[in-house]
């Protein structure tokens, strides 16, 4: 008797799950998320650090206590998150660091990944695997941190990295969030079965093969060795030395695009931050290749041009969500039309202007949704699908008012999930941020426009939106978030809640969020909305918004700092969504 082929397949699959990976009978979807906690708050006149983990915020605040400035602390936090929040904290990815030294111009360190030399616009047109070393862009974090240190740092480089080496070597206490995050990936069938993830399983799997629990220890000896090399030899060991060789070897063996010469040629840049005036505030954001600064500032300038209702009786009103959705729709359309790496494409200056924001705002109907198709303009919309699609933000201020707003990422949770053998270093899968399908922009949200198509050495467009706000030349607010394209809207919503509606930073970070990105033409609400969106959804529907589908559990994880300019006291607020922590060198308080 012969079995049907699909039954044999199922039998082999069940056998492989139960024999190869028996400790992981739990499936990723059965894991329980840690319960919701209040936002974490720390206040001080001696500086504050807010990040996704307690250990990283504590390392940052101890560097401040040692006399380091905000940039020293930020570099320390970046290396500490690599050890303590590996789903997004990284040295194998890239990002953007805004630095506001007192009385000086706000600058951005651009350490976004670059495409390797071996690409053309169609390199990914037929590609489907997002967890593959081919997805890795040339990492920028180590060069970015070295550049920030060279330009602004006070403490010795090795001293800043030392606490992270100790954490990796001696082990960290796994908390509920890290346990959830690790288990979510380790229980995936392909991670358990495919040989290319063996190093991931070895490095991040619990030695006895069981699921991680809060209180367990994760020891990362290979990473401790890599961090020691970086501390002793500087960034060049990562780009030209021993670590570079190991990355290039891994890439070649795994079918990746990155070669040793791509690493050798990688450069980070320092550029002035973008800025716009909103009322009494000057808002600073990251320039291209992040779309974050351009789009957040465009949205805020549009809202300023509108008669935006200042009603605070409920957290979001129908009218506020309507107007903000219309603003998001229009700004994301401009993003798709124009934005890419400005070292490769010329981007029109008018996108930053108040006049252009006013012109766009004037097209908004106060009572009716505009269908996204109606504003496509010169972007031809295709039928059918193109592609299917973690990041972490931290904010730092020191006792002298120097501020850092840093967002960096591996793109997906744990990036491409390839750990370079023997190094403990995870690589990003940032190549997915390029427009993979030239000419194909569709209603699902895939973008195929020219500015963000692949080219050798080009940086992929980002949505990372680290922000710094000054009032009368002094730092008032620092904020940013992870969340892919939702980052832009998370940050805009926090700016609206604090600067326009006068809410506390605690309330603005705690409160429910929503997202619209032109296409798909629907508002996505957080499901943890405490009824706020349920109440206004029928009215939004009546205005023509598709506002019911595609709810998400959470949107981002925003860590911010607000300064009382009268007393000089800074208050750090860490988002509850991923269990973040605010820490200060002295006088820590919790709500
Ligand atoms: O730079 C970007 O736009 C994305 N690669 C960010 C990815 C992200 O935020 C995923 N995290 N939740």
């Amino acid at each position: 008797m012969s079995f049907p082929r699909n039954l044999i397949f199922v039998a082999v699959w069940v056998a492989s799950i139960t024999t190869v990976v028996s400790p992981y009978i739990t499936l990723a979807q059965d894991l329980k998320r840690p319960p919701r906690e209040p936002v974490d708050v720390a206040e001080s006149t001696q500086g504050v650090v807010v990040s996704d983990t307690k250990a990283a915020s504590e390392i940052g605040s101890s560097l401040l206590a040692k006399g380091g400035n905000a940039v020293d602390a930020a570099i320390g936090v970046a290396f500490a998150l690599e050890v303590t929040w590996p789903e997004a904290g990284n040295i194998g990815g890239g990002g953007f660091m805004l630095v506001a030294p007192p009385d000086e111009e706000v600058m951005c360190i651009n350490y976004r990944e670059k495409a390797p030399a071996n690409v053309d616009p169609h390199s990914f047109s037929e590609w489907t695997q997002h967890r593959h070393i081919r997805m890795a862009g040339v990492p920028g974090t180590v060069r970015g941190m070295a550049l920030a240190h060279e330009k602004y740092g006070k403490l010795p480089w090795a001293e800043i990295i030392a606490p992270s080496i100790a954490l990796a070597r001696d082990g960290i206490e796994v908390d509920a969030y890290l346990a959830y995050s690790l288990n979510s990936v380790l229980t995936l069938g392909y991670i358990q079965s495919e040989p290319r993830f063996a190093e991931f399983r070895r490095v991040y799997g619990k030695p006895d093969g069981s699921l991680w629990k809060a209180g367990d220890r994760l020891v990362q000896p290979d990473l401790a060795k890599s961090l020691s090399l970086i501390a002793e030899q500087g960034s060049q060991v990562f780009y030209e030395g021993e670590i570079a060789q190991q990355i290039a070897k891994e890439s070649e063996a795994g079918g990746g695009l990155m070669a040793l010469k791509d690493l050798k040629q990688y450069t980070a840049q320092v550029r002035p931050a973008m800025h716009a005036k909103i009322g009494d505030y000057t808002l600073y954001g990251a320039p291209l290749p992040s779309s974050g600064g351009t789009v957040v500032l465009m949205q805020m300038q549009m809202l300023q041009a509108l008669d935006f209702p200042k009603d605070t009786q409920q957290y979001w009103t129908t009218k506020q969500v309507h107007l903000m959705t219309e603003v998001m729709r229009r700004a994301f359309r401009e993003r798709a039309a124009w934005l890419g790496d400005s070292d490769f494409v010329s981007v029109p200056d008018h996108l930053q202007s108040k006049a252009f924001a006013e012109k766009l705002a004037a097209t908004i109907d106060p009572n009716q949704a505009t269908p996204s198709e109606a504003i496509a303009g010169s972007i031809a919309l295709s039928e059918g699908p193109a592609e299917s699609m973690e990041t972490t933000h931290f904010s730092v201020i020191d006792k002298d008012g120097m501020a850092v707003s840093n967002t960096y990422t591996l793109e997906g949770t744990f990036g491409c999930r390839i750990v370079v053998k023997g190094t403990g270093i995870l690589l990003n899968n940032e190549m997915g941020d390029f427009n993979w399908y030239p000419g194909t922009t569709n209603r699902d949200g895939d973008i195929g426009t020219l500015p963000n198509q692949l080219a050798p050495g080009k940086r992929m467009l980002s949505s990372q939106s680290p922000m710094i706000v000054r009032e009368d030349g002094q730092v008032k607010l620092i904020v940013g978030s992870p969340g892919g394209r939702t980052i832009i809207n998370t940050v805009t919503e926090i700016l609206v809640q604090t600067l326009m509606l006068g809410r506390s930073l605690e309330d603005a970070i705690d409160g429910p969020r929503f997202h619209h990105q032109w296409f798909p033409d629907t508002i996505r609400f957080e499901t943890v909305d405490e009824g706020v969106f349920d109440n206004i959804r029928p009215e939004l529907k009546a205005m023509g918004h598709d506002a019911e589908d595609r709810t998400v559990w959470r949107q981002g994880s925003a860590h911010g700092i607000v300064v009382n300019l009268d007393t000089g006291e800074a208050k750090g607020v860490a988002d509850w969504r991923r269990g973040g922590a605010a820490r200060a060198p002295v006088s820590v308080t919790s709500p």
Side-chain angles (χ1 to χ4, degrees):
M1 189 179 117
S2 70
F3 285 103
R5 279 178 59 130
N6 52 354
L7 275 186
I8 295 175
F9 175 78
V10 169
V12 168
W13 180 77
V14 169
S16 71
I17 294 282
T18 49
T19 54
V20 181
V21 291
S22 53
Y24 299 120
I25 293 299
T26 312
L27 298 174
Q29 63 266 28
D30 296 332
L31 299 172
K32 266 181 73 174
R33 289 192 177 92
R36 182 173 177 167
E37 304 273 354
V39 292
D40 192 43
V41 177
E43 290 176 83
S44 173
T45 53
Q46 300 303 301
V48 181
V49 181
V50 199
S51 80
D52 261 326
T53 70
K54 284 189 191 67
S57 294
E58 276 160 14
I59 285 177
S61 87
S62 70
L63 289 165
L64 292 181
K66 269 182 153 177
N69 63 21
V71 170
D72 295 319
I75 297 168
V77 172
F79 282 104
L81 286 168
E82 152 76 29
V83 184
T84 59
W85 190 238
E87 71 166 66
N90 69 80
I91 55 175
F96 300 87
M97 178 188 283
L98 286 193
V99 184
D103 307 319
E104 282 179 34
E105 197 178 4
V106 181
M107 303 299 286
C108 180
I109 313 268
N110 163 18
Y111 57 98
R112 180 70 161 167
E113 299 92 324
K114 286 184 172 198
N118 181 22
V119 299
D120 65 46
H122 294 278
S123 294
F124 286 87
S125 298
E126 306 287 325
W127 186 256
T128 53
Q129 296 184 65
H130 281 248
R131 309 300 180 176
H132 191 286
I133 200 164
R134 189 179 161 88
M135 295 290 297
V138 186
T141 299
V142 178
R143 275 263 203 264
M145 294 305 132
L147 182 57
H149 184 256
E150 185 188 308
K151 193 166 162 59
Y152 298 107
K154 271 170 66 183
L155 294 177
W157 173 251
E159 201 173 316
I160 295 171
I161 304 175
S164 299
I165 299 172
L167 279 181
R169 184 194 56 223
D170 303 338
I172 56 167
E173 185 176 317
V174 171
D175 65 14
Y177 293 87
L178 181 57
Y180 176 76
S181 169
L182 289 168
N183 292 336
S184 302
V185 174
L186 288 164
T187 50
L188 296 169
Y190 73 89
I191 291 288
Q192 297 173 349
S193 59
E194 291 186 29
R196 70 176 190 271
F197 301 112
E199 187 73 351
F200 185 96
R201 298 193 296 268
R202 186 182 73 80
V203 168
Y204 293 112
K206 200 164 142 182
D208 68 359
S210 65
L211 291 180
W212 289 101
K213 291 190 309 296
D216 288 342
R217 285 200 94 62
L218 170 63
V219 188
Q220 300 170 77
D222 292 347
L223 181 57
K225 184 174 160 230
S226 296
L227 292 174
S228 299
L229 286 171
I230 293 167
E232 286 155 17
Q233 297 180 31
S235 64
Q236 115 275 0
V237 72
F238 189 97
Y239 291 95
E240 298 180 40
E242 191 176 327
I243 299 177
Q245 308 271 356
Q246 287 165 296
I247 297 174
K249 194 168 152 205
E250 186 79 41
S251 177
E252 195 184 345
L257 297 164
M258 194 182 349
L260 192 56
K261 71 174 185 323
D262 296 309
L263 286 154
K264 273 192 178 149
Q265 284 166 4
Y266 182 88
T267 48
Q269 302 168 329
V270 194
R271 286 190 171 156
M274 310 187 53
H275 62 278
K277 193 108 177 92
I278 302 290
D280 294 336
Y281 304 109
T282 309
L283 274 52
Y284 296 88
L288 291 166
S290 184
S291 64
T294 310
V295 182
V296 171
L297 298 182
M298 192 186 293
Q299 294 189 156
M300 292 301 290
Q301 293 190 106
M302 271 195 256
L303 290 168
Q304 181 169 243
L306 290 166
D307 187 16
F308 189 70
K310 305 288 188 292
D311 190 344
T312 53
Q313 273 156 336
Q314 60 188 69
Y315 193 80
W316 291 114
T317 65
T318 306
K319 187 90 183 187
Q320 288 166 350
V321 174
H322 166 66
L323 291 176
M324 287 182 65
T325 300
E326 294 307 308
V327 159
M328 292 168 181
R329 187 195 306 283
R330 284 159 178 78
F332 272 83
R333 187 266 168 206
E334 298 309 307
R335 178 188 188 276
W338 301 110
L339 302 188
D341 183 351
S342 52
D343 285 347
F344 284 73
V345 291
S346 80
V347 176
D349 289 341
H350 73 256
L351 294 177
Q352 298 171 38
S353 77
K354 189 168 168 227
F356 180 64
E358 287 170 351
K359 195 170 140 199
L360 280 183
T363 66
I364 295 175
D365 183 326
N367 302 308
Q368 202 61 40
T370 308
S372 287
E373 289 206 25
I375 59 165
S378 57
I379 307 178
L381 295 177
S382 310
E383 295 303 327
E387 63 170 322
S388 60
M389 161 154 123
E390 205 69 47
T391 305
T392 183
H393 176 85
F394 55 88
S395 298
V396 184
I397 195 163
D398 65 23
K399 62 180 177 16
D400 301 318
M402 183 183 209
V404 171
S405 186
N406 187 93
T407 314
Y408 72 151
T409 189
L410 289 166
E411 161 61 3
T413 314
F414 297 96
C416 71
R417 302 182 180 169
I418 301 295
V419 180
V420 179
K421 260 177 233 70
T423 68
I425 300 172
L426 262 172
L427 292 174
N428 67 83
N429 60 345
E430 217 75 57
M431 295 298 280
D433 274 357
F434 279 113
N435 295 350
W436 278 13
Y437 310 96
T440 301
T441 299
N442 61 26
R443 291 160 185 80
D444 295 336
D446 297 307
I447 309 291
T449 52
L450 192 63
N452 188 35
Q453 286 174 19
L454 271 149
K458 191 174 175 181
R459 301 180 207 254
M460 55 298 280
L461 186 66
S462 169
S463 295
Q464 293 171 65
S465 310
M467 296 294 298
I468 295 180
V469 178
R470 276 177 167 167
E471 183 180 2
D472 293 331
Q474 287 177 283
V475 171
K476 175 72 194 164
L477 186 68
I478 311 167
V479 73
S481 176
R485 279 181 256 182
T486 70
I487 295 173
I488 290 169
N489 292 331
T490 296
V491 168
T492 301
E493 287 161 28
I494 292 169
L495 294 173
V496 166
Q497 289 289 354
T498 50
L499 306 181
M500 287 183 166
L501 301 178
R503 282 210 168 81
S504 68
L505 186 59
E506 292 97 311
D507 286 351
I509 285 182
D510 188 63
R513 302 175 183 151
F514 61 96
H515 175 69
H516 194 291
Q517 58 175 47
W518 182 42
F519 283 112
D521 189 354
T522 188
I523 311 175
R524 282 188 276 164
F525 295 116
E526 276 187 321
T527 52
V528 279
D529 75 353
E530 296 153 329
V532 170
F533 297 127
D534 289 339
N535 295 338
I536 61 177
R537 199 169 290 170
E539 287 170 4
L540 286 166
K541 254 197 123 189
M543 295 170 100
H545 292 283
D546 176 3
E548 286 184 324
D549 297 326
R550 303 196 51 184
T551 49
V552 289
W553 175 73
R554 63 171 186 200
Q555 182 174 312
S557 176
H559 301 316
I561 297 174
V562 64
V563 183
N564 179 329
L565 296 184
D566 295 328
T567 63
E569 189 163 64
K571 177 164 65 180
V573 181
D575 206 326
W576 56 269
R577 288 169 177 78
R578 292 182 195 176
R583 291 291 182 270
V586 288
S587 65
V588 178
T589 57
S590 263

